[in-house]
Amino acid sequence: AGTSIRLVIRDPALISTKLDVLPLQAPVQAGDELGELKVYYAGIHMATTSVLAERDAPIAWYYRNEIWLVLAFVVLMVMWQRSMHRRRRLARVRAHWHTKRKWFYS
């Protein structure tokens, strides 16, 4: 919590809390605000404090490497497309090899 909350109360059963969490995006640094904690006593709002990150939370390794995976996929697709283009071209050349021979007459 950002600050301490101290209340003098008669019946602890009447205390309720509500945690409002802010939308987060990694990485989170220690001390960043994560949301608000509201304290109610018998349904009456008594206090509010901010909720802070206790320690750093870096981006997970699979999100850091996601761009490299996408790039590797694109490179592999381009290489596959080129190889298929070469195979088709070679198949066309092989299919018509006899028409290019000088000594072949039809």
Side-chain angles (χ1 to χ4, degrees):
T3 58
S4 297
I5 298 175
R6 295 176 189 226
L7 299 173
V8 178
I9 57 171
R10 290 186 185 175
D11 188 7
L14 296 177
I15 292 180
S16 63
T17 58
K18 181 181 177 190
L19 178 63
D20 293 328
V21 180
L22 297 174
L24 300 175
Q25 187 171 3
V28 175
Q29 303 296 323
D32 285 355
E33 186 174 349
L34 304 177
E36 275 186 341
L37 178 68
K38 297 179 181 180
V39 179
Y40 295 90
Y41 180 70
I44 301 170
H45 180 260
M46 299 301 286
T48 302
T49 186
S50 59
V51 177
L52 305 176
E54 183 179 20
R55 56 191 132 150
D56 295 342
I59 296 176
W61 67 269
Y62 45 85
Y63 288 122
R64 266 189 253 146
N65 293 331
E66 186 176 48
I67 189 71
W68 296 109
L69 291 174
V70 170
L71 184 62
F73 178 75
V74 169
V75 168
L76 287 174
M77 290 302 295
V78 168
M79 290 173 58
W80 178 76
Q81 189 178 20
R82 283 184 160 191
S83 70
M84 293 306 293
H85 177 72
R86 286 188 194 124
R87 285 182 184 185
R88 285 190 211 111
R89 189 178 66 216
L90 188 58
R92 271 187 269 126
V93 168
R94 285 182 180 160
H96 302 290
W97 69 272
H98 65 278
T99 60
K100 295 190 178 183
R101 292 172 53 186
K102 291 182 180 181
W103 51 268
F104 180 79
Y105 298 102
S106 50

